[in-house]
Amino acid sequence: MGIVIDKNTRALVQGITGTQGSFHTKLMLEYGTKIVAGITPGKGGTEIHGVPIYDTVEEAQQKSSADASIIFVPAAFAADAALEALENGIKKVVIITEHIPIKDAVGLMAIAKQAKATIVGPNTPGIVTPGECKLGIMPAHIFKSGGVGMVSRSGTLTYEIAAGLTRNNHGQSTCLGLGGDPITGLNFIDTLKMFASDHQTKAVVLIGEIGGNLEELAAKYIADQKYPKPVVAFIAGRSAPSGKRMGHAGAIVTGKTGTAESKIEAFRKAGVSVAEKPNDVSDLLTKLI
Amino acid sequence: MGIVIDKNTRALVQGITGTQGSFHTKLMLEYGTKIVAGITPGKGGTEIHGVPIYDTVEEAQQKSSADASIIFVPAAFAADAALEALENGIKKVVIITEHIPIKDAVGLMAIAKQAKATIVGPNTPGIVTPGECKLGIMPAHIFKSGGVGMVSRSGTLTYEIAAGLTRNNHGQSTCLGLGGDPITGLNFIDTLKMFASDHQTKAVVLIGEIGGNLEELAAKYIADQKYPKPVVAFIAGRSAPSGKRMGHAGAIVTGKTGTAESKIEAFRKAGVSVAEKPNDVSDLLTKLI
Amino acid sequence: MKLFEYEAKTILAKYGIPTPQGGLATSASQAKEVASKLKPPVVIKAQVLVAGRGKAGGILFASSAEEAETAANKLLNVQIKGIPVKSIWIEEKIQIKRELYFGITTDRFNQSYVAIASAAGGMEIEEIAAKTPEKVIKLLINPEYGFRSFHARQMATKMGYAGNQISELGKVLERLYCIGMDYDAELIEMNPLVETVDGKFAAADTRIILDDNALFRHQEYKKRLLEGESELSPQELEAMKNDLAYVKLDGNIGVIGNGAGLVMATLDTIQYYGGKPANFLDVGGGAPSEKTALALKIVLSDPNVRALFINILGGITRCDEVARGILEAKEKVGVTKPMVIRLVGTNEEEGKRILTNAGIHVLESMEEAAQRAVEISKQGDK
Amino acid sequence: MKLFEYEAKTILAKYGIPTPQGGLATSASQAKEVASKLKPPVVIKAQVLVAGRGKAGGILFASSAEEAETAANKLLNVQIKGIPVKSIWIEEKIQIKRELYFGITTDRFNQSYVAIASAAGGMEIEEIAAKTPEKVIKLLINPEYGFRSFHARQMATKMGYAGNQISELGKVLERLYCIGMDYDAELIEMNPLVETVDGKFAAADTRIILDDNALFRHQEYKKRLLEGESELSPQELEAMKNDLAYVKLDGNIGVIGNGAGLVMATLDTIQYYGGKPANFLDVGGGAPSEKTALALKIVLSDPNVRALFINILGGITRCDEVARGILEAKEKVGVTKPMVIRLVGTNEEEGKRILTNAGIHVLESMEEAAQRAVEISKQGDK
């Protein structure tokens, strides 16, 4: 159960022989994720951590028939790698890579939409359905299986909050990082929809940050649809100045748009509990469920 | 009845104030075609032959809700005009314009495919369903309504053959010019399929020429599908040398591919009657029906 | 990366978008020379990468080359919003009939670029949108075939133009889109885009912000960013060169953390407890010890910093590496400011051991650590 | 429009595709100079736009600059398949391990470009396809996102390469695709694309045919086509400049018609009745009288022409305009050859009247007219 991935997910790792690709393949395997093949052009025929390596996704798919892929290839080639996955029938693509040009991401998302594929990221820690499958770089031990769906634009802040939830016995159904870039595959609304129809998910934690208006749109969606499950939100960046990019490519207040205040107000108006500090999320959740 | 267009078709003319656009709008109106609006950027607000002119398809569509468009704009801008029609919900686009770059045509067709739209042309005389609607530049008087579906890569040669059919009382259901370019919206197979399910059509005349292998593929289709209606074919270019472009961008024998012999042989193998001369088409048809 | 007005206008001119005749100068005498070749009156514009340059006195007018010299001299000796003016752009003043707006930026929800136009230009587009939302025309750009000439004409029509002006204006809009794509702009706008008294269109001012992540495709600008002038402070520049995300703020608690969201939340928590962060610094994922040391050096180069708050939640980042970086920095940089360190996650035990052995106290709770940092930062106030 | 080998190789080099070191020469002494700067042995290649140049003696080898001079002298004084050699390309002979093929062309049925590769190169791709179809690798290119590096690597893998050679070869394939798109090529191929003895890849020979309809985007080549050397005969060139489609054939009946299909069918009908067409000439739709006159002039400039067959089926083309053009040509050009005219369609009556008044007989049936033209063309034989 959970969303996007579960214990039956069969994944490729694109860029499996790089430092990160190799390191996290090991961790994902340890977590129990079914990594069925890895891709590194020029390294086909070898293997790493017992996973066979192919030169192309096409070859890998002939042998492994994966349904998901996680991408660690450098930014200049990452959109290309994602397209390679899509063209070879893979419908779930997690892009860990940061610093992908906007133009590449825009082009990729248009094609993914046509292919009816789900892109998680780019610039995401990935996605984990605790106890079933982890396609990402998040530390495993902070998660435990449960009823809280988490969706976030941030990595470590999510770990911070997830660890707090786990400590307080709020296990998670799935924890999904949308990614810190301005253009990402999924947005809050997409993910809220998935959590709405996931039986395991009893409540949702939504972690937003400054930049764009995806949180405001999510708030409106929650209010308009009378969202069926309790939602707790946290928004990072109350103290961020205008015009400065706060680490993430997507985290920037432009003029008066994209401020934390605007997002917090939108959620409050929509009846969503908004935590003041990361640690407060767990307490608010306890009150709601 | 007939295919693609009929008496209910409501058409725009893009490039309506050009010499050709204006001249043929008049003839199409005389034929009875419902030309509901014309487009020429900068001439919006005026009218021609009683047809209102708009600057953009968007504006025209708000007033006229056409379902087809015929394009007379110059080659460099024609693919753009077709896209404008598609983006504004028009699903049938006839492109009269010749000399559209291949790259533009390839891009356009990909988008048309997604939009599930029908493109006739480019470099086509258009399409006529005699007695109902004419979206094209063909002389009206040579056609008469009847049971013969005609599909062709050529203009005047089609008139030659159509005139012969009409003289011999073989009226036409629809006469459709695929266009003389290498990349066209419809091909023979698409059109044969449409004729197969059109009740008015009792037999099909297929007029091919050198270049490419669309005729060979059509022959294979006819044989494989046991095509339900009699087909008479004529192929122009038996005397064409290799490597020379015979007027049409698409009419070229490359090495040993695209020859008239290959096409004629393919049709004969598929059991299709092939006429030796344009005038013989009518006689062959008489024998078959 | 923000481009200077003169850089942006040079690109526009290359793409055939009319811009006022003009030239660049770095001295008053050069400004005079440039002005002498232009038809007066001329406009003298400070080339600084800050918004609201006009209101801050960065734009002057002159009706002769001599006046231009005087104006240039003035501008070259002032600071605009704290930024010294190193170069000025002198251009002919065009006869404006109407000020318009046209820009292209990204639409996050629709995962695409969006073209925005308005028949009322000259102020920030947000301001236009707030004041006269009915005058803002938006068009989502389909990434498969882009912003075409018919889209440009559609927008020109909606901006109220007719006749030949539709295609004239359309061409300008279409060309701007081409620049945006060719240069990987995350924002490109002409504001004001003007209709001149003779019915032509010209970009009177323009703003281009390149996508930092695409600079590898635009080496000439990357070079200028790293070597020449830019909107970045020396600290920000050094951080960027070393793949650290650093933003200078005006408080006194230096902050280092891993992960943009966590660092933002750290700043917020400091503020929540009444403190003032001196900066944002994200060391990123999996930072080796040298990077942590460099981060410390950058944060400490801010003289306002009274206390340091290091907040690490190890995922890819290993706590022991961070601990070693802190010790390295302590040795090399000489950390004299009090440090509050919060360290949890991957290799947490080893990291704590390293720091505890070196006599540094490590906390586990982010809130506790934030409170402690705020306390320290206020000690001097008493 | 066919590009010369030296033009094509210059483009490939600009895009970073390795090609043999070389240079162009238009005289033997220049060839010597070029060769002296190259590492022998060198290859001397006639720059002519005909297929099968090698077999026709257009490629020679030399092991010194002096030998190159001799070879150049030889080539510059011969004709290759009837074409005089005006320039030659001299390049280093590369040490070939394996000959491959890679090209991009259009796929009509799929309305897209298609990439074709083979591990067996060096002959025409049709020949490869006929001899070893299993060695031909085809990849349809999705127009929305083109031929990407992963496609290139896929093809390299299927061509039998592994390790670093996948990316090395992939880059070459990808770059060729970029050239194809940037230059609007209807065909672009490297044949042979070679693997050298040291495991690198280079384009030993290459062929580029630009899309004539896209030449407005490539003015430099359009200019060369219209002003410089090209594969076109003077008649073909003049026809092209005047928007007439003309192809020289080797018979003796000059043919003019409107519409490519009709003209082709006219040639076929002539052949059916035992005649030999001297040319293909399509005056196109809606031709004004001057155009018809010019068409007559071009057709008559062929000395083999014994009879003229004008076949007009007026749709857009008005028969009266054609009739006037014929009279105009008769006057200006001085038509001395017998004419057979078939004229039906729009304004047929008026056209017939004009010609009949001028004493020219007009037929209505294409077959009858063709038979008549064939008869006339054979009169001289008896």
Side-chain angles (χ1 to χ4, degrees), chain B residues 102-124:
Chain B
I102 292 171
K103 194 166 67 177
D104 298 7
V106 164
L108 171 63
M109 299 315 164
I111 295 160
K113 219 176 267 179
Q114 271 182 51
K116 296 188 177 25
T118 300
I119 307 271
V120 178
N123 191 10
T124 175

Side-chain angles (χ1 to χ4, degrees), chain A residues 20 23-24 75-76 98-107 109-111 113-114 137-139 141-142 153-157 159-161 163 181-187 189-190 209-214 217 234-241 243-252 254-257 260 276-280, chain C residues 2 106-113 124 126 141-144 180-186 207 209-214 216-218 231-233 236 243 245-249 258-269 271-273 277 280 282 285-286 311 313-318 342 344-346 348 364-367:
Chain A
Q20 289 232 7
F23 178 66
H24 287 289
E98 193 179 0
H99 300 309
I100 294 179
I102 291 170
K103 194 167 67 178
D104 298 7
V106 164
M109 298 315 164
I111 295 159
K113 219 175 265 178
Q114 271 183 50
I137 60 172
M138 56 284 275
H141 67 275
I142 59 171
R153 284 172 62 196
S154 156
T156 41
L157 177 58
Y159 311 161
E160 180 82 42
I161 293 172
D181 280 357
I183 304 294
T184 56
L186 293 177
N187 60 36
I189 295 178
D190 299 328
E209 61 187 34
I210 54 165
N213 65 342
L214 295 180
L217 294 172
F234 176 79
I235 304 295
R238 295 172 192 233
S239 51
K244 291 287 187 178
R245 215 172 276 281
M246 304 302 271
H248 282 164
I252 183 167
T254 319
K256 281 161 192 159
T257 66
E276 291 284 322
K277 305 191 295 324
N279 267 10
D280 302 346
Chain C
K2 292 179 187 162
T106 49
D107 180 311
R108 296 181 185 213
F109 184 73
N110 292 293
Q111 304 170 315
S112 69
Y113 291 96
E124 295 283 311
E126 289 94 352
I141 299 173
N142 185 323
E144 284 161 60
M181 291 303 107
D182 289 355
Y183 283 80
D184 276 292
E186 62 174 52
R207 195 152 68 113
I209 302 179
L210 303 183
D211 177 1
D212 289 336
N213 289 339
F216 68 91
R217 294 199 277 242
H218 308 281
E231 74 268 31
L232 303 176
S233 68
E236 286 172 335
D243 257 339
Y246 172 86
V247 177
K248 171 93 183 69
L249 302 170
N258 66 324
L262 183 65
V263 180
M264 273 190 273
T266 307
L267 305 187
D268 295 349
T269 307
Q271 210 171 41
Y272 179 83
Y273 287 116
F280 168 101
D282 175 11
N311 186 7
L313 196 155
I316 329 175
T317 308
R318 284 160 46 195
R342 188 259 187 154
V344 294
T346 310
E348 177 180 328
E364 268 183 34
S365 149
M366 173 170 155
E367 300 196 3

